[in-house]
Amino acid sequence: MSVYCNGHPATAADLAAALVNYGHFTSLQVRGAAVQGLDLHLRRLRQGTEELFGTALDGTRVQAWIAAALQAEGVSDASVRVTVFSRAFDFRQPLKAVPVDVLVSVAAPASMRGTPKHVRSVVYQRDLPHLKHVGTFALFQQRRQAMQDGFDDALFVDAQGRISEGSTWNVAFARGGELVWPQAPALRGTHERLLQAGWGGEPQLAPVGLDQLGGFDAAIGLNATDVWPIAGIDGYRFPGSEALSQRAAEILAAQTWIPL
């Protein structure tokens, strides 16, 4: 992995400032120097910067820095993470206006397609779930605990039993030809938006409780990395998940790739 800060190779001092752990990010897959949902990623970064730092982020500059990092690495296919933080941020004076900095990390391209996952539910909700912030410790710990118990990942539900999201992914369910997106406080993903747009018709948004899972015959997980079938949640099984995942993958593959 290579890391750039504000368009230049990151120094130790740059990375040390990021250890304050106050910031937000977006992760994206690049193929042929293009990104699906690039506008959604940039919107996420702008909104997060406004909320956490009270300042505007120049999306055009961020896009140029991503392209420059890829060019410097000599690659056109990659996994890219863009992190917004501030070397000047002081947690003792969090209201002080500070300029923001942008880290762009470039790693090998990734895909999670094809492998069905059996996940378990857990009552948990991320802090500020609408933000893709850098507080990821609990997400990875929940995944680790689920794997220790023989599952592939964790699915979060709120105190009322409503499904919200996976550890680092969104979830959707199907009954017949209808795709349903569970509604509870969660991070709304870029691929979630793209699949909703490509599926056709108005997205079916509704609360989905664990006690309603028996009414669905398929489920998928998805994030910017890919889409994959959910074989089961707790004791529920979804025999139609692989077919649903394949259909979702075809729809996502048809979405526009935006050049950097």
Side-chain angles (χ1 to χ4, degrees), residues 203-229:
Q204 298 299 308
L205 313 177
V208 175
L210 288 175
D211 59 355
Q212 297 174 280
L213 291 182
F216 298 100
D217 51 36
I220 53 172
L222 70 165
N223 57 24
T225 303
D226 224 322
V227 57
W228 56 92

Side-chain angles (χ1 to χ4, degrees), residues 182-252:
Q183 296 301 290
L187 179 69
R188 304 321 333 175
T190 57
H191 264 45
E192 177 185 78
R193 302 297 194 200
L194 291 174
L195 184 54
Q196 288 174 352
W199 193 265
E202 285 295 318
Q204 298 299 308
L205 313 177
V208 175
L210 288 175
D211 59 355
Q212 297 174 280
L213 291 182
F216 298 100
D217 51 36
I220 53 172
L222 70 165
N223 57 24
T225 303
D226 224 322
V227 57
W228 56 92
I230 302 295
I233 298 173
D234 299 335
Y236 295 95
R237 298 293 185 270
F238 304 106
S241 293
E242 293 198 46
L244 176 64
S245 178
Q246 180 61 38
R247 181 182 175 190
E250 292 170 356
I251 292 172
L252 287 170

Side-chain angles (χ1 to χ4, degrees), residues 103-187:
L103 289 180
V104 176
S105 63
V106 180
S111 174
M112 296 176 63
R113 184 173 304 176
T115 304
K117 295 185 180 297
H118 187 190
V119 305
R120 77 163 180 192
S121 63
V122 59
V123 178
Y124 178 76
Q125 179 176 293
R126 295 186 304 110
D127 293 329
L128 301 176
H130 64 288
L131 282 177
K132 196 174 180 70
H133 54 75
V134 296
T136 55
F137 169 84
L139 308 183
F140 303 148
Q141 180 64 4
Q142 291 289 355
R143 174 181 286 167
R144 184 174 186 273
Q145 289 176 338
M147 294 178 73
Q148 284 179 324
D149 291 338
F151 295 87
D152 296 308
D153 212 326
L155 178 71
F156 302 151
V157 302
D158 65 14
Q160 289 74 46
R162 297 176 303 176
I163 294 169
S164 58
E165 59 187 327
S167 61
T168 58
W169 40 276
N170 295 112
V171 62
F173 299 96
R175 50 186 170 220
E178 180 185 45
L179 196 62
V180 179
W181 299 89
Q183 296 301 290
L187 179 69

